[in-house]
Amino acid sequence: MVSSGYSRARVLAWLALVAVAGSFTVLSAASGASALLVVVVGVAGLAGAAAGLWLAVSRRGAVRALGVLSAVCGPAAVLAVCTAVGLWTEALAALALWTAGGACARWALRQVRPPRPMRAVRSRPPARPVLIMNPRSGGGKVGRFRLVERAEALGARVVLLDTTGGVRQDVSELARQAVAKGADLLGVAGGDGTQALVAEVAAEHGLPFLVLPAGTRNHFAMDLGLDRADPSRTLAALTDGEELRVDLGRVSGRPFVNTVSFGVYAQVVQSPEYRDAKAGTALDAMPDLLLGYSGARLDVRADDARLAAPQAVLVSNNPYAGPQPLGGARRPRLDLGTLGVVGIRVESAAQAAELALRGTRAAGLDVRTARRVTVLADRPTLPVAVDGEALSLPAPVDCEVRPGALRVLVPRDRPGVPVARESPDWRWVVALALGRPLPTAQTPPAGGTSPVDPARNA
């Protein structure tokens, strides 16, 4: 007898297919030629916007202005056509059906491959916690949220970095000194790069690690589900916390908690002006980097696979639930024991349009997972961005993951625990609806789930 979970999945899969079919039916039934025009203009508008964005970042002067105009006019053309042919009601109904179909598809797939969150274990409060804090991080969040006073009130010893003399302190050495003096927990209030250095020392000594999201972006804290708006809330872990076992990345012997970037982005980050004017510096450098690609020619080996000559490569400590960590993409789990790998090569407006229309199936985008990534180049050293920090490393550069190396102490109340929201795989949806075996060859999604065949539920 088929399980109730699989039965629900089949019903939801059918609802998803019916809703998607209904979205096309609504438009075609309204007015055949006009509806077809809306669809064609919609696809063309999306492609035109993507091509315009490509011109905007890869060219200068009048061509860049033309690209910006194209990026704006693409969506505007869709609105104008809908208004001209009087299909606003039908277009909105079709959009609602399409959205409902996607929601049903995701819900159906969750019935047969439910996401498994990271396992949390209750933890005893530390007796001698030591927290290293950067008072300048995140524009002064340490002082603004009174992290020093609040941490000391909970029994923690705070090591405040000296940022007045312009001399960069060795954060790793400060952490090792704290361990030598009997610390039973290491924590840090600072950026992701500083967090990685202290996390490595905690992992070496098997100590729990506390993240206070006092940096600018706090990607690691976001994927742990911590409150980035108020870093002081994380201090609750010192008295009422639980532990997560998460992975730690390494690149040429250096730790990273988020990402290592090669190619275009890594070269932009090298610019001294980037920290104070990120957008302007990137726009100024992009044309020289993208047109013919003036940077190092990369040859990437991800386990047994090869990514030939990408313009940009991003290696992440566990895969993101999307093609790249942009636009709010997150890592639903940090304990899968794998690296996320994204290779990008876009050399023309046409390829940019293909990327917008086909997503991860576009020829210019390669998304995969691996346990080890080696980046070779046609020069002895490579510009590399490690957790957003600009470095230059000798080639080849090796990236690997250390599964479960880090014990992270987190508060039990975490408002931002991530949930995988990957796009539904319609091959799975069709197979579910028709009662056929599910495609078991597919890589499990970033949420850490495994494919389930309906025969196993019989």
Side-chain angles (χ1 to χ4, degrees):
M1 184 175 181
V2 179
S3 70
S4 59
Y6 181 68
S7 298
R8 285 195 301 270
R10 286 199 66 185
V11 172
L12 289 166
W14 273 113
L15 288 175
L17 295 177
V18 169
V20 169
S23 67
F24 291 103
T25 303
V26 166
L27 282 177
S28 60
S31 177
S34 297
L36 180 60
L37 177 62
V38 170
V39 173
V40 170
V41 171
V43 172
L46 178 60
L53 286 174
W54 164 260
L55 293 175
V57 300
S58 65
R59 301 294 199 278
R60 293 188 175 94
V63 178
R64 172 172 286 178
L66 181 63
V68 173
L69 183 64
S70 177
V72 173
C73 288
V78 179
L79 298 177
V81 169
C82 285
T83 302
V85 300
L87 287 180
W88 269 112
T89 303
E90 291 81 358
L92 290 176
L95 179 61
L97 284 169
W98 181 271
T99 303
C104 287
R106 283 188 288 270
W107 196 4
L109 296 180
R110 284 179 179 274
Q111 304 300 308
V112 294
R113 56 180 197 190
R116 296 194 300 269
M118 290 186 287
R119 181 170 177 263
V121 178
R122 288 300 302 274
S123 174
R124 291 183 178 179
R128 297 176 300 279
V130 175
L131 307 181
I132 299 172
M133 299 189 184
N134 183 349
R136 296 183 61 183
S137 187
K141 286 184 179 179
V142 169
R144 193 157 66 249
F145 290 94
R146 301 178 57 248
L147 297 183
V148 174
E149 296 88 339
R150 291 177 175 178
E152 290 177 341
L154 294 173
R157 181 167 72 89
V158 175
V159 177
L160 203 61
L161 297 181
D162 183 3
T163 58
T164 58
V167 178
R168 191 167 185 173
Q169 292 178 277
D170 189 336
V171 177
S172 298
E173 182 58 29
L174 291 175
R176 291 190 174 90
Q177 291 175 8
V179 174
K181 294 178 181 178
D184 62 353
L185 174 140
L186 292 176
V188 61
D192 290 323
T194 303
Q195 290 171 12
L197 296 174
V198 179
E200 183 180 43
V201 177
E204 287 175 0
H205 295 275
L207 297 179
F209 175 65
L210 180 67
V211 176
L212 292 171
T216 303
R217 294 181 179 83
N218 304 296
H219 285 292
F220 190 48
M222 176 177 68
D223 293 334
L224 290 170
L226 303 179
D227 187 345
R228 296 185 297 163
D230 184 359
S232 67
R233 291 186 60 183
T234 304
L235 290 170
L238 295 175
T239 55
D240 185 22
E242 55 189 14
E243 276 191 21
L244 303 172
R245 276 279 186 177
V246 307
D247 306 333
L248 188 61
R250 286 184 71 81
V251 51
S252 296
R254 180 188 176 95
F256 69 95
V257 293
N258 294 322
T259 58
V260 181
S261 299
F262 304 86
V264 173
Y265 173 72
Q267 288 194 240
V268 170
V269 172
Q270 304 295 316
S271 172
E273 294 81 21
Y274 178 76
R275 186 168 295 275
D276 296 324
K278 292 181 173 58
T281 303
L283 280 175
D284 184 60
M286 280 297 185
D288 294 331
L289 293 172
L290 292 175
L291 295 180
Y293 184 53
S294 60
R297 182 178 176 84
L298 305 178
D299 186 2
V300 182
R301 310 293 170 85
D303 288 344
D304 296 329
R306 180 173 179 241
L307 287 70
Q311 291 168 310
V313 177
L314 185 139
V315 180
S316 58
N317 175 24
N318 283 266
Y320 282 83
Q324 68 278 331
L326 299 175
R330 302 178 64 177
R331 294 166 292 178
R333 293 187 64 164
L334 294 167
D335 61 347
L336 298 178
T338 60
L339 298 169
V341 186
V342 179
I344 304 172
R345 186 165 191 86
V346 180
E347 298 178 297
S348 67
Q351 288 181 334
E354 182 198 12
L355 188 62
L357 294 174
R358 300 190 64 199
T360 56
R361 292 184 173 84
L365 186 64
D366 193 332
V367 182
R368 62 180 67 240
T369 60
R371 293 295 297 271
R372 186 181 184 89
V373 176
T374 301
V375 181
L376 301 96
D378 59 354
R379 55 192 64 181
T381 60
L382 273 176
V384 183
V386 181
D387 284 338
E389 294 190 13
L391 299 174
S392 182
L393 299 177
V397 178
D398 289 318
C399 304
E400 59 185 353
V401 63
R402 297 169 57 196
L406 189 60
R407 299 166 55 193
V408 180
L409 185 68
V410 295
R412 286 201 297 160
D413 178 21
R414 289 180 289 146
V417 176
V419 177
R421 298 185 184 277
E422 72 274 3
S423 300
D425 189 324
W426 290 97
R427 294 172 301 168
W428 278 64
V429 177
V430 172
L432 269 176
L434 299 179
R436 294 175 178 173
L438 303 182
T440 56
Q442 176 176 316
T443 302
T449 59
S450 300
V452 177
D453 194 294
R456 298 182 185 179
N457 293 325

